[in-house]
Amino acid sequence: MPVFSVYVVNKAGGLVFQYDHQKTSIELEKTFSYPLDLKLEPQTDYVTVVFGQQDGIKVGHVILSVNGKAVSGRKLQDGSDVMEFIENEKNYPLNIRFGRPKLSSNQKIMMASMFHSLYAISVQLSPESGSSGIQKLETDTFTLHCHQTVTGVKFIVISDPKQVGVDSLLARLYTIYSDYALKNPFYSLEMPIRTELFDSQVVTAIEQTEKVGSAI
Amino acid sequence: MDQSKRPRITILDKPTSRGKQEVSLSAFALLFSEMIQYSQNRVRSVAELQTKLSDFGFSVGSRLVDLLIVREKGNKREIKVLNILLFIKVQLWKALFGKEADKLEQASDDDKIYYIIEKEPVISTYISVPKDKGSLNCAAFAAGIVEAVLNFSNFPCKVTAHWHKGTTLMIKFDESVIARDKLVT
């Protein structure tokens, strides 16, 4: 689905609202024989691919399951370490599933603040004075649109590169925010938004934008 | 010197118009939101908050009832329960919210109780009640208005707001009202 997620960042850079419309799960399963071509490195929570991209498995992907059994952190379900299991020649041929790790909510908050800072830096870097910050960030697989309001609240939408109508979606999100968050007596400013009316309206707005369709 | 002695017609000479009957919903929503926040700082429980909103509505209703009777009904006074309730459902709601209330029902077991039902009251359009205040219904403001209109038309009653089929205003009349109504009809 073309619109992936929505983030709302308050003027201090804190994440106020986050919604994933489409869980992008990029996963690949492959059978390997000894020795493994990829270079793996264990980190605190995962075992990641560090070198040796091949067949769609890219740097940054982590091991999600080995031989069909899910991996939790760095250990298999029976408690043995994943790295030892993989280095042992006797266990091959081996079926490993790689994928992009899902962001935890703490990581999302960190990402939002980082983007907030990058936005401010981009205003300084611009050769013209008085320019706005990052409005669109395009990559192969997604486009990030950002709209900063006069009060400093940023609405960030991550969508498919071919999706049209995201500018009007950003304007609509601003209207929805000013209606269902600011007119709600139980919402305090700059705090995380936890109201059902706001959530349901955001979902409706996203679905309408998706109906508009994508450019070819 | 031929100074024109034509009297200038200023705004004070023109008759008072009825004015535009509309107020922006956003302006009302922001004012209402502030009223709720103001009351929240001064009460200790959800029931007290609802009573405070009801009191606000009472002040509004008490001033509104005379104006509406003069404008809409030509100074005619209602003496029957059903008629005053229909007046509320149609005229009062139209004057306040620009549309009629959805349903008016009588309780099957008790003839003192009537219900005015609305799926989505206009005053709560932008309000989502958090879980820890689950029973708060901001239509208590409308309940106060209805209570004032009924009390000042000589139909003593109590009106409360509930979450039932959307929002329901439960109107409970005094015994004397029903007894008097039976004599009149």
Side-chain angles (χ1 to χ4, degrees):
Chain A
M1 285 303 111
V3 174
F4 296 136
S5 43
V6 171
Y7 293 75
V8 179
V9 178
N10 67 13
K11 60 175 181 262
L15 188 64
V16 153
F17 176 75
Q18 197 279 321
Y19 172 66
D20 285 322
H21 190 64
Q22 168 74 15
K23 302 262 190 281
T24 54
S25 48
I26 303 171
E27 286 176 15
L28 279 160
E29 187 149 11
K30 256 195 71 167
T31 320
F32 295 95
S33 53
Y34 192 80
L36 204 55
D37 283 338
L38 310 158
K39 170 117 178 61
L40 298 169
E41 189 176 292
Q43 312 214 312
T44 31
D45 288 327
Y46 297 105
V47 178
T48 52
V49 174
V50 166
F51 191 72
Q53 285 184 180
Q54 52 163 315
D55 296 334
I57 300 174
K58 301 208 162 82
V59 172
H61 283 197
V62 305
I63 296 184
L64 294 174
S65 74
V66 175
N67 279 345
K69 292 194 276 248
V71 163
S72 60
R74 288 175 45 190
K75 298 196 181 326
L76 294 169
Q77 266 165 6
D78 55 2
S80 61
D81 196 44
V82 175
M83 289 305 296
E84 287 168 16
F85 193 80
I86 289 177
E87 269 149 29
N88 195 342
E89 189 178 350
K90 287 199 282 298
N91 293 325
Y92 283 85
L94 206 46
N95 233 348
I96 309 185
R97 189 144 60 106
F98 288 95
R100 269 249 306 277
K102 297 251 170 26
L103 289 175
S104 74
S105 43
N106 269 343
Q107 287 173 327
K108 285 180 185 162
I109 296 176
M110 253 172 37
M111 294 286 155
S113 342
M114 224 183 289
F115 183 77
H116 173 83
S117 319
L118 287 177
Y119 190 98
I121 293 174
S122 69
V123 173
Q124 303 288 333
L125 280 178
S126 160
E128 309 244 336
S129 65
S131 79
S132 78
I134 301 176
Q135 286 192 324
K136 201 149 82 146
L137 193 114
E138 289 186 18
T139 71
D140 295 336
T141 43
F142 71 90
T143 310
L144 183 145
H145 303 257
C146 176
H147 171 54
Q148 170 162 285
T149 66
V150 284
T151 46
V153 177
K154 290 193 228 339
F155 294 93
I156 302 166
V157 171
I158 300 181
S159 71
D160 196 86
K162 298 197 284 304
Q163 175 72 32
V164 294
V166 186
D167 293 329
S168 58
L169 174 64
L170 285 169
R172 265 194 77 174
L173 283 175
Y174 189 23
T175 321
I176 293 171
Y177 171 75
S178 67
D179 280 342
Y180 295 94
L182 297 182
K183 290 179 189 152
N184 190 4
F186 303 107
Y187 171 66
S188 349
L189 234 45
E190 317 292 354
M191 289 285 117
I193 302 178
R194 301 233 180 284
T195 46
E196 303 127 21
L197 279 178
F198 184 77
D199 296 341
S200 51
Q201 289 287 325
V202 166
V203 174
T204 319
I206 293 181
E207 279 165 7
Q208 277 192 340
T209 314
E210 286 183 347
K211 269 208 212 110
V212 168
S214 20
I216 304 171
Chain B
M1 271 179 291
D2 197 359
Q3 266 183 342
S4 165
K5 289 235 175 47
R6 231 177 342 144
R8 294 262 177 85
I9 302 181
T10 64
I11 190 170
L12 293 170
D13 298 322
K14 294 197 192 134
T16 50
S17 63
R18 278 183 68 154
K20 234 171 84 133
Q21 302 280 298
E22 295 161 359
V23 170
S24 124
L25 181 58
S26 307
F28 173 73
L30 289 166
L31 178 65
F32 192 51
S33 150
E34 192 50 41
M35 277 162 60
I36 297 180
Q37 289 177 44
Y38 175 87
S39 327
Q40 230 182 344
N41 288 336
R42 285 162 174 73
V43 298
R44 259 162 298 237
S45 75
V46 174
E48 273 185 57
L49 182 55
Q50 261 188 276
T51 323
K52 251 213 167 28
L53 288 179
S54 211
D55 290 338
F56 285 144
F58 198 86
S59 325
V60 172
S62 53
R63 286 159 183 71
L64 202 52
V65 63
D66 286 322
L67 183 61
L68 274 186
I69 303 268
V70 166
R71 277 190 184 162
E72 309 285 347
K73 316 247 292 103
N75 286 336
K76 194 163 164 297
R77 197 169 67 143
E78 292 296 341
I79 45 178
K80 299 208 193 99
V81 165
L82 196 58
N83 287 346
I84 187 86
L85 287 175
L86 277 172
F87 168 72
I88 289 178
K89 173 186 187 263
V90 175
Q91 309 280 23
L92 179 70
W93 241 249
K94 264 228 183 88
L96 287 176
F97 307 124
K99 61 171 185 133
E100 292 180 18
D102 290 340
K103 279 192 251 183
L104 171 64
E105 285 175 7
Q106 183 178 20
S108 40
D109 45 349
D110 192 350
D111 58 355
K112 293 200 291 288
I113 300 186
Y114 287 80
Y115 299 108
I116 292 184
I117 299 172
E118 257 199 307
K119 267 200 285 292
E120 273 183 38
V122 174
I123 51 181
S124 323
T125 6
Y126 300 123
I127 301 178
S128 341
V129 184
K131 299 273 178 348
D132 51 341
K133 295 184 181 38
S135 59
L136 173 68
N137 193 334
C138 298
F141 184 69
I145 299 181
V146 173
E147 186 166 341
V149 169
L150 283 171
N151 279 341
F152 286 109
S153 310
N154 202 9
F155 290 90
C157 67
K158 294 238 177 324
V159 185
T160 48
H162 302 274
W163 290 109
H164 174 66
K165 293 189 207 167
T167 297
T168 301
L169 298 179
M170 185 173 93
I171 306 172
K172 190 162 175 182
F173 287 104
D174 282 358
E175 294 272 358
S176 52
V177 173
I178 306 295
R180 188 184 70 198
D181 202 51
K182 288 207 173 67
L183 290 176
V184 169
T185 35

